[in-house]
Every structure is written in C-alpha cells, then in structure tokens.
Amino acid sequence: MASDSDSDGDFVTFGTPLEPLEEDEPLRKPVPLHEQTVKDEKGRYQRFHGAFTGGFSAGYFNTVGTKEGWTPATFVSSRQQKAGRQNARPEDFMDEEDLGDHGIAPRQITTTADFASGRKDVIRDKARAITSLSAPIPGDTVLEDLVAPARSSMGVELLRKMGWKDGQGVGPRVKRRLCKQRADSATRAFGSASPPNGSSGSQDEEDGEFVPENVTFAPKDVTPIDFTPKVDLHGLGYRGLNPLAALRGGPGAGHINLFTVDSDRTNSLFGEDRKGQRRRGGVAGQGFGVGAMEDDDEDIYHRDIMSNYDTVLGGEEPGDGLYGWTAPQQYNRKKKDHSKDAAYLGKILEGFTLASDKLETKTIFPPPNLPRDFRPVHYFRPVVDLSSVSPMVAQALQTSRGHMAQEEPSKGGRHQLDSAQRRELLGEATLQGPSSVFDLFSVLGSCQITESLLNPSRFAPHAEQQQEALSVWSGPTAQAQTGQTFKPFERTPHKQARYDLYIDQLKQGDRDALELSLDPTMTEWERGRERDEFVRAALLYKPSSSSLSCRFTRGKQDDAVEANTVEVTRDLENDVDDKQAAVKMKMFGKLTRDTFEWHPDNLLCKRFNVPDPYPGSGFVGMPKVKRDKFSVFNFLTVSESPTASASPAPQGVKASEPGKRSRWDVSGQAGDKERKEKDPVSEFLSVARIEASGSGPEASTTDGPTTDPTVEVLVPSYYITHFHQNDGKSSDGFLLKENDGRMEEEKEEGVLGSGKAGTGPQISNQLNVNTTQPGPPVSTTPSQHPDFVFKTPSGPAAAPPPRDQEMEEEEFGPRLPPPSSTLTAEGCPSLTPSAKDDKHKKKCKEKHKAKKHGKHKKDKKQKKKHKRHKHKGKQKKSSKKEESSDSSSEGSDGNSQEDGEEGGGVSTEELLRRLKGIRGKKLQ
Amino acid sequence: MSFPQPKPEVPQLPQNLLRTIDCQQGAVRAVRFNADGNYLLSCGSDKSLKLWSVSRGTLLKTYSGHGYEVLDADGSYDNSQLCSCSSDKTVILWDVATGQVTRKLRGHAGKVNCVQFNEEATVILSGSIDGTVRCWDTRSRKFDPIQILDEAQDGVSSLKVSEHELLTGSVDGRVRRYDLRMGQLHVDFINSPITCVCFSADGQCTLTSSLDSTVRLLDKSTGEMLGEFTGHKMKGYKLDCCLSSKDTHVLSCSEDGHVYCWDLVEGSLMLKLPVGKAVVQSLSFHPSETRLLTAMEGRVQVWGAEPEETEEDVVVVKQEKA
C-alpha cells in the first residue's frame, strides 16, 4: 500500500484501480451476470451477446432493467403539437449511429441542389417516369415538364451578380478588333466567305459592323464539355432500344424508325413533334399491330413510296432543306451555316457538332509522266548466240531490236499505243489463238500460200500480185459491194483495221494502198509479213467470191479455234540427225539423251510410295502447249539449204493430223539429210555422218539432194507438216537409208525394176521390195519406216519379187519367232530363213491355187479367213502397226498377196482405196 | 584385326541343261521366273499361261482366259497374283491359287507386248504396240488406267519397273526412263528398235538390246554407253536379254539358236549356249542363283551351273539306302 501511494506520482495508471482490500472485510458477493452491464457514452446499456457475436441489439437482453422488455423511456403525446410538426424526415427516426460513418444514412458533405450544376438527377428522372406511368393518364408529366421551377444554380447567381450575362463567355473582356482583323485577313486570303471560326462565333462577326475604338467585349461562350464517361459497351451514339422512350411513345422518342420520311426526321431534329401525333404508351409504329386500346387504325403496313428515295445522285434537296418549316431562324445565324446543320440528316451524336469547316481535301497529284522508253522492269533480252541460230533468224532479231530503238521516238504518246504494242512493251506473252489469216484457209489455200511463201523474196509480194489485187478490188463489182463481210483478221482488231484500210484504198484504186495501210511502227519483218498476208487475203477473198459468200452466214460458234490448234508437247526432242550420227560414232551420253519434265499422276506416285514431284500440278504427263495448226510461223523456219527455193510439189502441204506424230514425221526428219546443221557440234557430227554413210554400202546415193526434188524446206524439226514429196526415188532412198547395204541393193533393184508411173496393182510390188532380204524382214526400223507406203510409180508386175515373204512386210518392229508347231512337219524344227521361205512358198502356192479356183473373192470375210489361216498355220504377224487399223492392214496384206499372184485383177473397191491412198500421199 | 575377305567365287555360268519342259501350249512367247525363283511362268501362243515348278518341272496350274496368245507375264512379290498380257489387247490379273481372273484390263489399242508389276504389286504397267504404257491400279475398283504414258512414238516392246523408275524400250529406237521421284523423263536414243530393256541389279545401269544385233549397257544417270555386246543375231524378232543375278554377265537370246553370255566388264563372250536350232525367244535369269530359263518354240529349258542330280538318281539313292 505504502509503496503504492509512494509510487503514485511516478507511474501512469490506466483504467480504474481496484478498491483496496480490507483485511477484515468479508468477501463480497460476486456481481451477478445481469448486473455486469456495459453502457455507452450516453448511459444506455449495451450488452454483449457473447464471445462471438460481439454486437449488441435492442432485443430481449437489451431491455435490461425492465422485465417486460422494450418500453419507451418517455412517452410524450404530440397531440397538441401536431400543427407545429410539419413533416418528419427519415433522419428523425434514426439514431446517431445511423447517421454515422457506418450507419444506414451516413452524413456527407454534398452540393445542394442550389449549387449543383446542370447535371440531371438520375434517380429523380426515373422516379418521375414511373410515376408518370402509374398516373391516371399515362405519360402525363407534361405539366411538370412545362412548369419547371425557375432555378438557377448559385454559380450562375454569383456570375450574374458579377455582371455576367447569358450567352457570354466567362473571362476578361477582350478587344474586338483583333478578332475582326484576323477574320478580314482570312477573308482576303481565301477570297471567299470565311468559314466561322468558333462554334458560335458568327454572332460576333455579324453584328460587328461598326466597332468603336475603346470598347471591349466579353469573350465568346464556350460550349461546356460533357465529361460524362462512357460506361456502356455500345458503339458511339448508339442508344439501343430504350424501354422508357418506347413506352413514352412517339416516333422521335428514340426509336430509329427506318421508314420515317426525311421531313419527319428533319422535324424531329428541330424538336417538333409531328402534327396530330398522339402520344401514347406502348410500342407502336409500322410493323407493330394496333392494340385493343387504340381507337383508330394507324398505318401499320408500310407503304413505301418512291419519294423516300433519292432519285438523283447526290442531288440537293430543293429549297432550304427545311421542307416548309418556317420557324424564325436565329437572327444572326448565317443561312448557309444553318442549312448545313439542317441539311445534315444523319443523327448528330451527343457531344458532337458538325464541323464548321470542311476537311481539306487532299490534293492528289497525278503520277509523273514517265519517259516513253522507260520500262519498270529491265527485260533481259535473251542472249542469242548468233552463231547458233540461222543467220536469217539472227538478222530478224537484230532488225527487230534495232527498229524498236529507232522507231519508238516517232510514236505519239503512250496513249496512242495499241494493245499489242503495250503488250510488247510490258513483255507480256502473246495471246493464244490463231494469229493469222492462214488459219482460216482451206488446205488448198494454204498450199498456194506456202507455195508462194517458199519464194526467196517472201516478204515482198510480187508486184503483179499487188497489181492483181488492185485490179480486182478496184473493179466495178467491188465498188458495188458495200459491206465487207469477210474479216480475215478478226481476232486482231488493229490488224483487221489495217486490212480494212488497205481494202478501202484498193477500192479507190490507190497504188500505194499496201504501204499506206501498214503500221509504220512495226518492225520491218512484221510489216513484210503483214504485207504479204494482206495481199494474199485480198486476192483470196476478192469481191467476186464474196458476192457468193454473202449467201452464207458465218457460224456462230467458232469451231476453228479448236480445230486449228494442236496440242504439242512443249519440250521437243533435239535433232534426230545429230543423234543418229552420235550413235554411229558410239558417242552415247549427252548427245543422245534428252531429259524432259514429266508429271506423274498423283495416284501413281502414291502407289509407288514416292512423293509427288510436282504437287499441285494441274496436268499429267509432258507439259503441252497449244499451237496453231497453220500458223505462218510454222512454215517460216527457213533452212538455208540450196533446195529451199525449189518449187514445191503441186500439193506440197499435208494436212497434219493433230495429236501424235506419225512415223512419217520422224522419217521426214530423218530423210532430209540436206538440212543445214545448227551448231558446230552438229556440223562436226554431220561430217562424221557423211563419212560414216560414205563408208557404208549405200553411199547415200539415193538421197542426194541433187536428184531429190523433195522439198524439205521450212520444216521445223518438230513440226508435223512435211513437204515430203513422193517421187519414187526419193522415198526409196529414204527407205533404204536405214537398212544395210545388202538389202538396199536388192531393194533398189526392185524399185528400179519396177519402173515408173504405174498405178493400182503395182503397189504390192513396191511393198514386196521390202521383203527381198533373205534374213529376217526389213522391219528393223519401223519408226523410220512408212507402213504400207503407197508408192505411186512402180513398174508393172512383170518382175515380181519373191512372193513367199509377202506376209512379212506387214510387220513392223521386232516380231515373235514362229511357233515350232508349224515347222515340225519337216521333222527337225528349223527356223532358218530358208526353211521359212520354203514353208511360205508352200503355203502361198496352196493359196494361189485356191484363189485361182475361187476367182476374185475379195470381200472382207475372205481376207479375214486368210489371215486367220495364216496366223494359225504360219507365224504370227505380230508387230503390225496398230495405227493402220485392222481392216486396212488386213486389206493390205491380203492385197499384197493377191496382187502378187494375180497381177491386174483388182476389184474396183480396192482400186478406189488405193487411189485414195495415193491422193493422200500426194497431198502430203 | 580383320579377316581377309573371302576370295570371291568365280562366277559360274548356267551351262548345264538341268531340265527340259515341253509346255504343250504352242510356242512359248515368254518365260519368267517368279519373285523367288522357285516357279516359272510360261506364256503360250495357245492363249494359256502356265505355272511350273522349276525344281521338279511339273505343271502346277494353267491359267486360261486370254483371247489370243499370251505375250508376257509377271508375278507379284508375294506370289499371290499374276499378271499377263496378250495379243487380245488385254491385261489380266490372276489369282494364283484359284486360277481365276481377278480383273481383265482393257484399254490398249493393240496387242500388249510387256507387262510388269511394280514393287508392291499395286500397279500393273503394260506396254503395247499402240505406243502407250498404261498404269493400271490393282487396288482401286476403277478399271481405267491411272496414267497413260504416250510419249513413245511407236510400239513399246519392253518395260521394266524399279522402285520409282519405269524403263521402257520402244520400237522408235528410244529407251525412256520415267523417274517418278524426280518427275523427269529421260530419253536415250539408240537408233534401232529396242527389243528388251533391263535394269541392272544395282540400279545404276540399264541394258538395252536392239535390232541392230547389239546389246548395250548404258549408264542410267548420264546415258553414256558402258559396254557394247555383239556377236549374236537379233535382226527381226523381239528377243530378250538380261543380266545375271549378280550383274556379272550379260545374256541375250539370239536368232541362231544360242544364248550368248558376255562378261559385263570386259565385254568378252564367255559362253555361247546352244539351246536349239530355232530362235531362242525368251530367257529369264534366276533372281539369286545361277539358273537360267530359255524358251524355244514350245519348250522351256532350265540351265544351271552344275549338273543337278535328276530325280531318278535320287530315287535310286533312296532305294539303295533302304
């Protein structure tokens, strides 16, 4: 105790100290639970419920002190004070703690309505909307809307008191002049009515006609910026379907009515409701039905009228764009400005105004004029080794290049180029399709043309031809004929135009028609070609014939496109001559090998477990290109051989078959040995070849160019057409070339023996020639071999070669050896040629006999029988060429037999067939 | 340490006649070993295809269904299927066991000279006198060829297939090698109608026989000639040539009734096997052993390196033992 009192002043005490214990004081009773109370600062009891709840309530235990619980401490009757007590606020019923920070109505410092700015009270708006709905007249808040308490915020009051007037800006006063002057200068600078600078700045400018010197003006008002953040996720200006607005009704209330007329929209823009528009609740409009409460049928079905749509592109609305709206315009607003706002029919987004001055349109300058000879891409001209190509081609290339450089400056502008020239400049590929008049010609016509093409002076059509064309076209018939129906160059319009010009000038009797009509910008070579074509076309389609042709109409569908093009493999084999020479010298390898691109089928690759080397390639096999069948270019590869200028055979051109090459073609290539070599290698080879052939027994006497009138000119090595003429000699030589000497001698004998200028039955003799060899039949070189050559001139059947091998010449390529069964008759199976021959002889004799008895049985049946007999009895005629179809080959072998045996006795049918063959041959 | 390499065995030549089979089916157009060399196929001119056991020389099955003489045949790797081609322009896929026609493939415009399975027997390739090679799918139900190779300008006389390559010899005197993996076609010009083409076993060379009585060994990749083998006679008939199983020798039929056998490297004639008096039409070399099949007229002969003890001998030996 003493220590306690002593240390009183030294220690800080906290809480209430316990009462000092008396020694002899009896123990006091502990305070009962209900007496352990906690009171708040106002002396009200607070009771802890328990350890966990930690709170207090005004419930049962909180009414401690009174047994019955809650009783108002004091009851004061307010009966007398009723009048004085106006209205109880909710706060009146609240405790202090309710108003505290954590209470239900915390007290904050907020701006009162007096000081609040124009922001809308959202809750209040909502409440009003609801009440308007629940009001006896739905939507009837008009009165409240109209009679709004005139209330201005305290700020405005203060401003007013400071001398601010409505419509002015806030801030120090400014001098007017500066602004004015600036506007003036701007006006001068633009030379037009200056666009208003500010949002409402026009007002100041307009009334400032007379501005005293020392007068200042209030600054312009500034449109307050609405800083309401955008909280929704809609697009700018999108409002969605506002149910409130929908319920309030009205077309302008917020629905975007697609079918309102423009004027309606304009009106609603000005805030005016439509006349006679009744406000009603609910959703209404076109597309919605009429409710039971509606008394009149509204137009719920949309009747669209054309006036809803603009009929003029970009047309301005008539008048001021107000459609009769004559409300007083704001007094000093520029009309233009006003109409601009009004004319803007789209919805102006909240917080946006129309731009007062237009966006500057960007001036886009046209690209600079390129120099005429400018090419965006450097085109590498293929370097042509002049030694490797024929001088003719080289010259052509050079001239074309030279001309291009010289003549281009003389051209007008780039706009005067036609499509072909542009294509040329751009380096694009020429379009596919027949490019020349020759595509339209008949075989005969093209014969004539090629004939004339073979002239050395190919590109200078004869003067007489021109003369002839002139005389023909300037004649009266041509004059009479007005419309020219024939258009040979229809596919190339500019060419046709030139041709038309040419014809016109021909009609006028102009001697220089040709030169005048040609395009001077073209190269010499092209011009020459065109000159030639024009003259020829003019001659071929002269008016006399065209008068006849007017009886015919041109086919709608141009089947010529299909018919005149041939699919040719793109990669072509090298010169066969070179290869042959290489083979002779046993120089296999590069010289004899060609490698092509080849596209296997995707499925085939799959089956072979190999990835497709060309995935996605659209074709299969060798790449093919379409070529004109009768394009001039097919004939223009001139070889410089001395025989080039030789006149061709009357029917020198063979109508080439589309598709695969025939043996003839190969042989034709092989045949014209006099063709010029293309490069040093081949030259070298050719020397070797000549040597080789010289050492050979045949010594190539038969195919010498001197004796051979064959024209193997102008045959591109790959192309199908041949000018192979079938004089007996030439073809013989050509035949013999491939065989060894012995055979050839014999053959030659046969051929020469058979003489000249026979027809019909002698054909077989010619065929027999092949068989005179003692060894296995000639068919060693079938690819170089014509099958069943219809050799025209052959001697009478006087000296028929041994008949016994007639059968064998029908074969080509390697055959199959004869089965032994046929030979067993002679005991030991022997297949030596002699034995075979004997056998054959026997057979033939039998046949001969049979035939003599049976006379001329030459119908097919008979032949077939023959054939079958042969096949069974003798050896198999195996490698018959399939191209000569069964019937024909059968026919021919049958013929060969019969002809051999019976000489002149041939059926008319057979003769006819042969005749055809010969003619076909001649045509080649 | 390493053991010295065993001395390479001197390659033996099939010079001893082991067996002669008279096929009884007209002329035998082609004779072929099957994949493992235990059986042989003979294509007869009497429209039948026959399957024989090589070791015993007994007829196992006759497959008839062709409309004309059978020209070539091939067996699949698993011996389950056969294909054959004929002058009747068809190619037939046979089931070996039942002898039924699995499918008959029509499409060629002329007689079909040669036929081959590919490695997995999923494709049949057939070359015809119409100048085309047709690739028939054996898997799908389609009866149209997968692809038609019509590059040949004349009849295709011979055709061989390796893993991803197709070698064709044509009467236009060109050997064409279609490389499926590279997507290329290599054409070698021989200037004489090709009768037969072969791959070497190592796949580096091609063997080509042509009607100028020459067999040429060409480098596959460059087309250069590695060897030329002459002496035999091949002027008009479509005769076969082949390489021995270990690429040591080149063999060719001849029209003078012999089979000529040259050393591949030296090119010297090693053996002139007298088969008969007629033309040796076809030959086939055993895939692994030194055994050769030749076909002449109606007979097929089996040749081996050593004379094999005949069955009678075996029987005699057995009897003695008993």
Side-chain angles (χ1 to χ4, degrees):
Chain A
M1 291 286 121
S3 65
D4 277 346
S5 58
D6 288 342
S7 58
D8 243 347
D10 300 345
F11 295 102
V12 178
T13 55
F14 187 76
T16 43
L18 292 170
E19 286 174 25
L21 278 172
E22 300 287 335
E23 289 297 315
D24 45 358
E25 197 178 351
L27 279 174
R28 267 185 280 180
K29 277 188 178 174
V31 185
L33 188 66
H34 62 269
E35 282 179 349
Q36 295 179 5
T37 55
V38 181
K39 293 175 185 170
D40 59 9
E41 55 267 30
K42 287 185 176 173
R44 294 178 301 196
Y45 293 107
Q46 283 195 324
R47 190 185 188 289
F48 292 101
H49 282 287
F52 300 108
T53 49
F56 58 92
S57 71
Y60 173 72
F61 283 104
N62 221 11
T63 58
V64 173
T66 54
K67 206 74 173 154
E68 56 278 28
W70 171 272
T71 40
T74 49
F75 176 72
V76 183
S77 172
S78 56
R79 216 172 164 185
Q80 274 74 38
Q81 302 165 7
K82 241 178 195 171
R85 196 174 185 97
Q86 278 302 323
N87 47 358
R89 297 181 301 142
E91 286 83 4
D92 293 337
F93 302 100
M94 288 182 187
D95 292 334
E96 292 93 308
E97 58 262 29
D98 290 336
L99 303 172
D101 276 351
H102 304 292
I104 54 170
R107 285 230 168 127
Q108 285 174 327
I109 297 175
T110 51
T111 48
T112 57
D114 286 346
F115 293 93
S117 62
R119 190 176 298 174
K120 276 180 179 175
D121 191 350
V122 184
I123 301 170
R124 211 187 187 136
D125 274 354
K126 236 180 223 173
R128 208 172 53 181
I130 291 165
T131 49
S132 76
L133 278 178
S134 58
I137 308 167
D140 198 9
T141 54
V142 190
L143 204 66
E144 284 177 37
D145 282 344
L146 286 179
V147 192
R151 204 176 44 171
S152 51
S153 66
M154 194 58 72
V156 176
E157 301 262 337
L158 284 172
L159 277 174
R160 283 217 180 98
K161 280 184 179 159
M162 290 164 71
W164 175 78
K165 288 196 181 75
D166 286 326
Q168 286 180 348
V170 181
R173 299 178 73 85
V174 291
K175 284 212 166 182
R176 176 75 186 87
R177 175 176 287 171
L178 199 83
C179 211
K180 179 76 180 171
Q181 276 169 352
R182 208 191 310 145
D184 281 350
S185 65
T187 314
R188 253 176 268 124
F190 288 111
S192 66
S194 72
N197 281 334
S199 57
S200 61
S202 53
Q203 161 192 352
D204 298 315
E205 287 160 24
E206 285 305 307
D207 62 354
E209 290 298 306
F210 167 74
V211 184
E213 195 65 25
N214 49 357
V215 175
T216 55
F217 289 86
K220 288 177 202 164
D221 197 3
V222 181
T223 328
I225 302 169
D226 189 9
F227 288 111
T228 322
K230 183 170 152 48
V231 288
D232 55 0
L233 299 173
H234 301 311
L236 263 189
Y238 176 77
R239 272 188 298 167
L241 190 69
N242 187 0
L244 295 172
L247 291 172
R248 284 172 69 182
H255 282 288
I256 299 164
N257 195 342
L258 283 176
F259 299 113
T260 48
V261 192
D262 286 341
S263 58
D264 293 346
R265 248 181 269 164
T266 317
N267 287 348
S268 67
L269 209 82
F270 289 120
E272 188 235 20
D273 286 322
R274 243 196 289 182
K275 220 201 287 175
Q277 171 73 37
R278 252 195 68 222
R279 277 207 188 158
R280 59 197 171 97
V283 181
Q286 281 153 356
F288 293 97
V290 184
M293 307 292 285
E294 316 288 332
D295 39 33
D296 56 341
D297 288 346
E298 278 217 359
D299 179 23
I300 55 163
Y301 302 108
H302 172 239
R303 284 194 302 267
D304 206 4
I305 45 172
M306 284 315 287
S307 64
N308 287 354
Y309 300 98
D310 283 341
T311 50
V312 184
L313 256 189
E316 274 285 299
E317 283 81 7
D320 50 5
L322 296 179
Y323 294 96
W325 169 248
T326 53
Q329 297 179 1
Q330 289 189 341
Y331 54 99
N332 47 12
R333 220 175 212 196
K334 251 189 182 174
K335 195 192 171 192
K336 187 185 169 192
D337 194 15
H338 178 90
S339 69
K340 193 172 71 184
D341 255 359
Y344 184 75
L345 296 179
K347 201 173 61 180
I348 299 170
L349 290 182
E350 239 176 282
F352 285 83
T353 50
L354 280 183
S356 49
D357 40 9
K358 279 184 180 172
L359 268 182
E360 250 182 54
T361 50
K362 272 186 189 166
T363 339
I364 297 171
F365 296 99
N369 263 342
L370 293 177
R372 207 172 296 104
D373 50 352
F374 177 76
R375 287 184 175 200
V377 179
H378 182 68
Y379 170 64
F380 292 94
R381 266 182 184 278
V383 181
V384 181
D385 187 9
L386 293 184
S387 60
S388 65
V389 296
S390 68
M392 204 74 162
V393 177
Q395 196 187 342
L397 277 173
Q398 273 178 330
T399 51
S400 72
R401 197 183 303 179
H403 273 283
M404 215 178 301
Q406 288 166 14
E407 290 186 4
E408 266 168 359
S410 68
K411 282 182 194 166
R414 68 191 173 97
H415 299 292
Q416 289 175 13
L417 298 175
D418 62 359
S419 68
Q421 285 159 332
R422 270 197 299 274
R423 182 183 64 216
E424 201 177 328
L425 288 175
L426 290 170
E428 286 173 354
T430 49
L431 295 172
Q432 291 293 329
S435 63
S436 81
V437 64
F438 296 98
D439 300 331
L440 301 163
F441 285 359
S442 63
V443 174
L444 190 70
S446 47
C447 288
Q448 292 173 356
I449 288 157
T450 20
E451 179 186 349
S452 46
L453 276 179
L454 293 178
N455 285 322
S457 56
R458 212 172 35 253
F459 289 142
H462 296 304
E464 57 262 31
Q465 277 181 336
Q466 292 197 37
Q467 204 49 247
E468 190 186 339
L470 185 63
S471 62
V472 164
W473 278 94
S474 54
T477 51
Q479 302 293 347
Q481 196 187 9
T482 49
Q484 193 194 358
T485 51
F486 174 66
K487 294 193 190 309
F489 307 103
E490 215 163 27
R491 292 209 183 87
T492 43
H494 45 277
K495 194 171 179 182
Q496 177 63 37
R498 287 197 292 274
Y499 179 70
D500 289 345
L501 181 66
Y502 168 61
I503 293 297
D504 284 346
Q505 279 166 345
L506 272 187
K507 280 183 186 167
Q508 290 159 12
D510 196 342
R511 278 180 182 279
D512 299 329
L514 195 53
E515 295 306 320
L516 287 174
S517 58
L518 290 178
D519 186 1
T521 58
M522 284 163 72
T523 59
E524 186 65 43
W525 191 78
E526 282 171 319
R527 255 182 292 165
R529 198 174 127 232
E530 213 167 88
R531 205 177 291 147
D532 196 37
E533 285 179 358
F534 281 5
V535 171
R536 248 158 259 290
L539 278 177
L540 272 170
Y541 296 90
K542 43 184 179 260
S544 56
S545 67
S546 60
S547 65
L548 186 72
S549 74
C550 68
R551 288 169 166 258
F552 300 94
T553 51
R554 215 175 149 76
K556 286 270 195 298
Q557 286 175 345
D558 207 359
D559 51 354
V561 178
E562 283 303 308
N564 283 334
T565 51
V566 188
E567 284 234 318
V568 184
T569 47
R570 190 191 63 192
D571 309 314
L572 292 151
E573 218 181 339
N574 297 334
D575 194 6
V576 182
D577 285 354
D578 294 348
K579 285 186 193 163
Q580 280 172 337
V583 167
K584 261 178 195 158
M585 298 174 63
K586 299 188 178 174
M587 287 168 62
F588 287 91
K590 269 185 192 169
L591 292 173
T592 57
R593 167 159 285 202
D594 293 302
T595 299
F596 305 116
E597 188 181 322
W598 175 71
H599 293 232
D601 194 282
N602 194 18
L603 182 59
L604 193 65
C605 291
K606 217 175 270 175
R607 293 276 184 263
F608 272 80
N609 294 324
V610 162
D612 193 346
Y614 303 101
S617 88
F619 62 96
V620 151
M622 308 260 289
K624 292 229 164 63
V625 287
K626 281 212 165 176
R627 243 175 239 282
D628 297 352
K629 224 197 258 180
F630 289 118
S631 172
V632 177
F633 287 106
N634 295 332
F635 304 101
L636 284 185
T637 335
V638 189
S639 71
E640 291 80 39
S641 68
T643 54
S645 57
S647 64
Q651 287 93 6
V653 189
K654 162 191 168 189
S656 58
E657 311 90 345
K660 286 177 70 173
R661 285 185 272 177
S662 70
R663 292 179 187 180
W664 269 110
D665 308 319
V666 182
S667 61
Q669 292 164 21
D672 48 1
K673 277 202 170 182
E674 63 270 21
R675 210 180 324 144
K676 266 284 152 123
E677 281 70 40
K678 299 237 166 21
D679 50 8
V681 179
S682 57
E683 207 163 349
F684 163 66
L685 284 172
S686 75
V687 172
R689 189 195 307 150
I690 288 163
E691 280 174 12
S693 60
S695 63
E698 75 266 40
S700 69
T701 47
T702 46
D703 54 0
T706 46
T707 57
D708 194 352
T710 311
V711 183
E712 277 114 352
V713 215
L714 301 180
V715 187
S717 63
Y718 50 82
Y719 208 69
I720 297 170
T721 318
H722 291 271
F723 301 88
H724 200 89
Q725 195 200 0
N726 266 294
D727 285 2
K729 255 192 182 173
S730 68
S731 50
D732 287 341
F734 153 62
L735 267 179
L736 295 174
K737 180 171 60 81
E738 307 298 334
N739 302 313
D740 41 298
R742 183 168 43 95
M743 299 178 200
E744 276 162 20
E745 279 162 28
E746 285 173 12
K747 251 194 263 175
E748 229 165 344
E749 276 176 19
V751 173
L752 294 174
S754 60
K756 309 262 184 260
T759 46
Q762 284 78 23
I763 289 167
S764 63
N765 296 335
Q766 199 63 26
L767 288 168
N768 288 337
V769 167
N770 292 348
T771 69
T772 52
Q773 48 181 350
V778 197
S779 38
T780 49
T781 55
S783 61
Q784 284 88 4
H785 232 265
D787 47 339
F788 308 117
V789 190
F790 299 104
K791 281 156 204 150
T792 33
S794 57
R803 274 178 276 181
D804 43 6
Q805 290 187 10
E806 281 159 3
M807 335 279 297
E808 297 183 9
E809 84 260 348
E810 73 178 73
E811 299 211 351
F812 288 94
R815 299 164 306 142
L816 297 168
S820 58
S821 54
T822 59
L823 300 161
T824 44
E826 295 183 1
C828 165
S830 147
L831 270 198
T832 52
S834 60
K836 251 192 288 177
D837 289 357
D838 290 345
K839 200 71 203 153
H840 283 242
K841 263 177 195 162
K842 267 188 187 171
K843 291 273 167 191
C844 289
K845 264 177 196 167
E846 285 166 20
K847 264 182 224 156
H848 189 63
K849 273 180 199 164
K851 203 145 294 153
K852 273 189 176 164
H853 284 296
K855 294 293 169 196
H856 311 292
K857 292 178 188 168
K858 281 174 193 104
D859 48 349
K860 272 220 164 134
K861 245 188 183 174
Q862 206 71 359
K863 281 177 210 159
K864 270 187 182 163
K865 246 186 206 168
H866 256 286
K867 191 167 169 71
R868 211 169 294 145
H869 181 61
K870 269 185 300 170
H871 279 302
K872 262 189 193 161
K874 293 206 272 173
Q875 64 176 5
K876 169 79 190 72
K877 307 298 161 207
S878 53
S879 338
K880 199 191 307 158
K881 172 128 198 213
E882 61 87 22
E883 279 154 36
S884 57
S885 64
D886 278 7
S887 62
S888 75
S889 59
E890 275 166 21
S892 60
D893 72 62
N895 294 333
S896 59
Q897 280 176 14
E898 288 150 15
D899 295 344
E901 283 151 6
E902 300 174 13
V906 197
S907 74
T908 50
E909 187 188 339
E910 176 56 23
L911 276 174
L912 265 175
R913 197 183 59 76
R914 278 182 204 159
L915 251 174
K916 261 184 212 163
I918 289 162
R919 191 176 293 161
K921 207 68 220 165
K922 272 188 176 172
L923 273 177
Q924 282 182 11
Chain B
M1 71 178 260
S2 63
F3 291 105
Q5 289 282 323
K7 195 180 175 187
E9 211 178 311
V10 178
Q12 288 172 307
L13 292 172
Q15 46 199 345
N16 295 301
L17 178 65
L18 301 183
R19 191 164 289 107
T20 301
I21 303 169
D22 195 0
C23 293
Q24 304 289 341
Q25 54 177 356
V28 177
R29 291 305 181 201
V31 63
R32 301 281 179 252
F33 271 114
N34 77 327
D36 56 10
N38 291 330
Y39 305 97
L40 69 89
L41 291 162
S42 64
C43 308
S45 63
D46 72 340
K47 314 172 190 175
S48 70
L49 172 71
K50 289 186 177 181
L51 178 69
W52 307 82
S53 160
V54 174
S55 56
R56 284 175 289 167
T58 51
L59 175 66
L60 299 175
K61 197 106 194 163
T62 302
Y63 303 90
S64 44
H66 272 299
Y68 221 137
E69 56 181 359
V70 186
L71 295 179
D72 196 6
D74 191 25
S76 69
Y77 70 101
D78 56 356
N79 290 333
S80 69
Q81 288 180 315
L82 302 177
C83 62
S84 63
C85 60
S86 161
S87 292
D88 64 0
K89 309 177 189 175
T90 63
V91 173
I92 292 184
L93 180 68
W94 305 90
D95 185 71
V96 170
T98 63
Q100 298 295 308
V101 175
T102 306
R103 57 178 68 191
K104 199 167 192 173
L105 305 163
R106 296 181 179 85
H108 278 295
K111 63 174 196 169
V112 189
N113 277 329
C114 46
V115 72
Q116 280 266 301
F117 275 119
N118 74 335
E119 213 181 16
E120 296 185 338
T122 52
V123 179
I124 297 175
L125 296 121
S126 61
S128 162
I129 197 171
D130 65 2
T132 63
V133 171
R134 281 167 202 254
C135 312
W136 311 92
D137 195 353
T138 63
R139 290 290 167 88
S140 77
R141 302 174 70 91
K142 267 196 252 175
F143 279 72
D144 298 326
I146 302 173
Q147 190 173 358
I148 299 173
L149 317 176
D150 56 355
E151 281 77 30
Q153 290 153 24
D154 209 329
V156 177
S157 56
S158 177
L159 169 151
K160 289 289 185 309
V161 186
S162 78
E163 284 176 16
H164 61 276
E165 283 172 321
L166 177 61
L167 191 69
T168 66
S170 168
V171 184
D172 62 5
R174 287 170 181 84
V175 177
R176 292 181 173 79
R177 182 163 62 85
Y178 298 88
D179 193 331
L180 270 85
R181 186 171 287 170
M182 300 298 294
Q184 281 179 331
L185 165 61
H186 304 282
V187 182
D188 286 321
F189 184 73
I190 304 294
N191 197 23
S192 175
I194 312 295
T195 59
C196 186
V197 290
C198 293
F199 280 114
S200 64
D202 61 356
Q204 299 298 312
C205 309
T206 60
L207 192 71
T208 303
S209 68
S210 52
L211 281 189
D212 53 358
S213 295
T214 311
V215 178
R216 293 183 177 88
L217 185 73
L218 301 178
D219 187 281
K220 194 181 82 175
S221 54
T222 63
E224 282 163 17
M225 189 165 73
L226 305 174
E228 195 176 28
F229 310 96
T230 52
H232 64 299
K233 184 180 169 198
M234 193 187 289
K235 295 265 183 204
Y237 295 132
K238 176 190 171 306
L239 306 181
D240 286 350
C241 67
C242 67
L243 285 154
S244 66
S245 57
K246 297 196 171 56
D247 282 350
T248 52
H249 291 88
V250 171
L251 296 99
S252 173
C253 300
S254 173
E255 287 169 15
D256 58 5
H258 290 82
V259 167
Y260 284 70
C261 182
W262 299 272
D263 186 273
L264 182 130
V265 179
E266 291 162 18
S268 56
L269 184 64
M270 302 292 284
L271 178 70
K272 191 175 169 188
L273 190 68
V275 177
K277 288 184 178 166
V279 178
V280 183
Q281 164 128 40
S282 176
L283 83 175
S284 175
F285 208 91
H286 195 281
S288 54
E289 295 166 26
T290 309
R291 195 152 297 184
L292 179 71
L293 295 178
T294 59
M296 176 185 279
E297 297 171 342
R299 300 185 306 273
V300 169
Q301 281 155 314
V302 187
W303 304 80
E306 292 114 20
E308 192 183 64
E309 52 183 9
T310 57
E311 275 182 53
E312 291 94 54
D313 294 339
V314 176
V315 172
V316 168
V317 169
K318 275 180 184 170
Q319 279 172 349
E320 280 171 4
K321 274 181 183 172

